[in-house]
Amino acid sequence: MKILIVDDELPIKDYIAYCIRESGAACEAVVSASSGAAALRLLEQQAADLVLTDITMPRMDGLELLAQIRARWPQTDVVMLTCHDDFAFARSAMQQGAADYILKSEIEPDTMRALLERVAEKRLREHPEQIVTRRLSFGRYLDQALSDPAVDLLDRETVRAYLLSYKLGDYFVCLFRYNKSMLDGLAKMRFPWIRWQWTLPLEDGDIFVLADLARGMSGSEQQRRLAEFCAALRACAEEPVGASGIYHDETGLKRALLDARRNLSRDFYRGTVEPPQNPIDNETALKQMFVFRNNAINALAGRDWTSFREQTEGLFAFACERQVPAERLKRVLCFIAEMAAESAQATTVLLAKIVGAAHLEELQQMFGEFAEKLEQNDRRYSENIESALSYIRQHFRYNITLQDAAKAAFLNTEYFSRRFKKEVGVNFSEYLLTLRMQEAQRLLRTTKLRVSEIAEQVGIPNVSYFTSVYKKQFGGTPAESRKH
């Protein structure tokens, strides 16, 4: 918060500046002026968030300065500095738009802190456009801090600046996955023991809630209130909620956030396991997740359903044992689902179910049913068509024809073509093209082969034609697929 002090008496200006510094309030700059005219010149050079001005000054008094500021800088708040004899003027100033007033005889660090906190709260209520901008910026700041292992304690003044100069006392952090019912319920909640609350989205899809508690509560009462808050959130929807303990300083905000994230994972896993005794770092965990993912995709390509089940079950067991963040596990499962689903519509439905799963058991059941359906679909064809499909899967990389597939099915070409379309749902050329594109997508995402090499491997050596078909199939170029 940028503060301008206006008073024609130098000792008073200096004392007020001292009280602001000692109050512990988050202030970017404190400057002073000895008259209303000098204050206006300073404001023309650099706007202030708050002006503390004496009422009785020569030439331009505080009321006239207030009127000028309200007209020219409406987002600047003005607090009047008064003596007992000025009370009528102070009341008039409040009617004209002053944010507050304070008696000069009562100015000391504690009263100054209370005054600045009232002004900060007022600014949060009255300037929603600042809140939106700051919250988005604050979310990016927290995401960066979380991704940087070298950062432990945050800078106190930076955090306060993002909170529009609000100074945290005793606070907690709460996390939950985006859920409209929970957000709507949160917006309706009114807890008298929460002094101020910030809600904003993080990059990974979590909703971050920062709640500052009312002063004067004992430690045990704070814990009861924290449990009450989480219970109220969970009542809005059956979704995991992670909360930190009670923290007391802005520098510990990252620790509070990590604390909440760990508890969010424990809630997702329903607390079935204790945190690992020998935790592995994120990079090692990610590599192991990729091993399970790639093995599952290879099993899909080979129609090895036993191996597919083993790999997905191994993935779930590893995630549970290591308390892998739910969003990371879901991203890996979404990747596998995209490679396995038979149509865009089926993929969209499955991805929505994965992202919306509230607990590990839901994902395990969902993927068990998914694997069973894939295996059933693989067995739904007649013996002749199954022979043809097996031939196509083994030879799609080569220049095979409808006649080749019909020969593998021991049927004449015309009858085979009709039978294939009836059982499989698409004609031979469509099926062959889809199979080639699925393999191309797998290779793009799991290898470092050049696009021309992949085109050659899937039986479409013409790179331009390959790229055109790929884009039509998936809505993006091979290069764009590789980025994701």
Side-chain angles (χ1 to χ4, degrees):
M1 187 186 298
K2 297 174 184 176
I3 300 175
L4 170 60
I5 305 166
V6 188
D7 199 296
D8 58 337
E9 298 184 48
L10 179 60
I12 292 178
K13 284 191 299 185
D14 290 344
Y15 177 67
I16 293 173
Y18 163 79
C19 289
I20 292 172
R21 290 194 301 271
E22 292 299 308
S23 71
C27 300
E28 296 176 40
V30 178
V31 295
S32 62
S34 57
S35 68
L40 292 177
R41 287 194 296 272
L42 284 173
L43 289 171
E44 287 170 352
Q45 296 171 10
Q46 185 175 18
D49 299 307
L50 173 63
V51 174
L52 299 170
T53 180
D54 189 12
I55 287 184
T56 55
M57 294 184 295
R59 293 184 293 280
M60 181 187 294
D61 65 19
L63 294 180
E64 186 178 349
L65 177 60
L66 169 64
Q68 293 251 21
I69 292 173
R70 296 298 297 164
R72 298 172 63 183
W73 299 282
Q75 289 193 343
T76 296
D77 287 304
V78 180
V79 170
M80 312 307 292
L81 307 172
T82 76
C83 299
H84 287 288
D85 295 340
D86 298 330
F87 185 74
F89 290 103
R91 182 170 57 189
S92 175
M94 295 293 290
Q95 293 170 347
Q96 293 179 48
D100 210 330
Y101 71 90
I102 185 170
L103 295 173
K104 289 184 178 180
S105 59
E106 295 180 354
I107 294 176
E108 57 183 34
D110 287 343
T111 55
M112 183 59 69
R113 179 175 62 252
L115 170 69
L116 296 178
E117 287 178 352
R118 289 198 302 273
V119 172
E121 291 177 11
K122 173 182 176 295
R123 291 179 65 79
L124 288 174
R125 291 192 301 271
E126 294 182 356
H127 302 306
E129 72 289 347
Q130 289 188 28
I131 295 176
V132 172
T133 301
R134 288 296 178 93
R135 286 185 180 182
L136 292 175
S137 299
F138 191 31
R140 289 192 291 270
Y141 170 73
L142 293 175
D143 284 323
Q144 290 172 359
L146 285 171
S147 64
D148 187 349
V151 174
D152 180 22
L153 298 177
L154 302 184
D155 180 71
R156 183 182 293 109
E157 298 307 318
T158 301
V159 173
R160 290 181 184 176
Y162 280 117
L163 297 179
L164 295 177
S165 301
Y166 186 84
K167 182 181 179 183
L168 293 172
D170 297 333
Y171 66 90
F172 64 85
V173 166
C174 194
L175 290 177
F176 59 89
R177 296 296 292 173
Y178 173 81
N179 180 287
K180 188 175 186 302
S181 297
M182 295 181 79
L183 279 176
D184 290 345
L186 184 64
K188 296 174 184 177
M189 291 178 194
R190 295 292 182 270
F191 296 109
W193 38 266
I194 289 184
R195 192 160 167 262
W196 198 257
Q197 179 178 309
W198 279 61
T199 304
L200 54 93
L202 297 180
E203 189 177 41
D204 61 8
D206 286 341
I207 301 299
F208 165 88
V209 182
L210 172 62
D212 191 36
L213 296 169
R215 305 294 187 261
M217 286 194 286
S218 66
S220 58
E221 184 180 0
Q222 288 177 340
Q223 293 298 330
R224 286 198 304 273
R225 297 305 188 188
L226 171 55
E228 181 182 341
F229 182 87
C230 293
L233 259 184
R234 290 190 181 97
C236 298
E238 283 296 321
E239 292 286 342
V241 174
S244 70
I246 306 298
Y247 285 75
H248 313 284
D249 189 273
E250 292 93 338
T251 60
L253 187 55
K254 179 180 177 179
R255 293 179 178 179
L257 189 46
L258 291 173
D259 190 7
R261 179 166 285 180
R262 282 190 294 271
N263 287 325
L264 179 63
S265 279
R266 286 183 61 77
D267 202 356
F268 174 78
Y269 293 105
R270 295 188 186 273
T272 53
V273 295
E274 292 299 318
Q277 296 298 313
N278 298 301
I280 56 179
D281 59 76
N282 289 337
E283 185 178 352
T284 304
L286 194 58
K287 287 180 179 178
Q288 184 59 49
M289 298 277 280
F290 283 164
V291 169
F292 284 116
R293 184 199 72 176
N294 292 343
N295 287 345
I297 291 171
N298 289 331
L300 278 172
R303 296 300 195 270
D304 186 344
W305 307 117
T306 300
S307 177
F308 179 74
R309 289 178 184 278
E310 288 175 351
Q311 295 303 317
T312 53
E313 288 171 3
L315 175 62
F316 285 123
F318 176 81
C320 185
E321 178 188 354
R322 293 296 175 179
Q323 298 276 283
V324 172
E327 67 276 3
R328 176 168 291 171
L329 172 61
K330 289 181 178 182
R331 281 200 296 270
V332 172
L333 293 174
C334 283
F335 188 98
I336 295 172
E338 284 183 315
M339 303 301 295
E342 296 179 343
S343 69
Q345 182 179 4
T347 300
T348 301
V349 171
L350 182 59
L351 295 186
K353 288 182 178 180
I354 292 172
V355 172
H359 298 286
L360 179 68
E361 294 94 322
E362 289 182 46
L363 282 177
Q364 288 176 307
Q365 181 179 352
M366 185 189 311
F367 249 71
E369 293 171 354
F370 178 54
E372 185 176 342
K373 182 180 178 182
L374 288 173
E375 188 171 1
Q376 288 175 351
N377 288 345
D378 200 39
R379 295 173 177 171
R380 69 186 179 187
Y381 308 113
S382 65
E383 185 176 347
N384 298 95
I385 297 301
E386 183 57 53
S387 296
L389 290 173
S390 178
Y391 173 83
I392 295 168
R393 291 172 193 143
Q394 292 175 31
H395 298 86
F396 70 88
R397 295 177 176 83
Y398 308 109
N399 186 26
I400 61 174
T401 65
L402 177 66
Q403 289 77 14
D404 294 328
K407 186 177 180 180
F410 303 101
L411 297 172
N412 70 62
T413 303
E414 184 179 346
Y415 178 71
F416 169 76
S417 179
R418 292 198 306 271
R419 184 77 174 268
F420 189 94
K421 176 70 179 290
K422 182 178 180 180
E423 290 194 31
V424 180
V426 295
N427 62 38
F428 165 78
S429 60
E430 288 177 297
Y431 181 83
L432 177 61
L433 189 61
T434 298
L435 193 61
R436 285 170 167 171
M437 290 300 101
Q438 287 177 338
E439 175 65 5
Q441 186 182 57
R442 184 187 74 83
L443 292 172
L444 281 165
R445 293 185 171 183
T446 60
T447 74
K448 295 182 179 180
L449 293 172
R450 294 195 299 271
V451 172
S452 59
E453 293 174 317
I454 291 174
E456 183 78 33
Q457 284 203 20
V458 300
I460 309 178
N462 186 317
V463 178
S464 296
Y465 177 65
F466 168 79
T467 301
S468 174
V469 172
Y470 190 94
K471 188 172 183 180
K472 184 177 180 180
Q473 181 87 4
F474 297 112
T477 66
E480 289 170 340
S481 236
R482 176 157 273 166
K483 289 178 183 176
H484 294 89

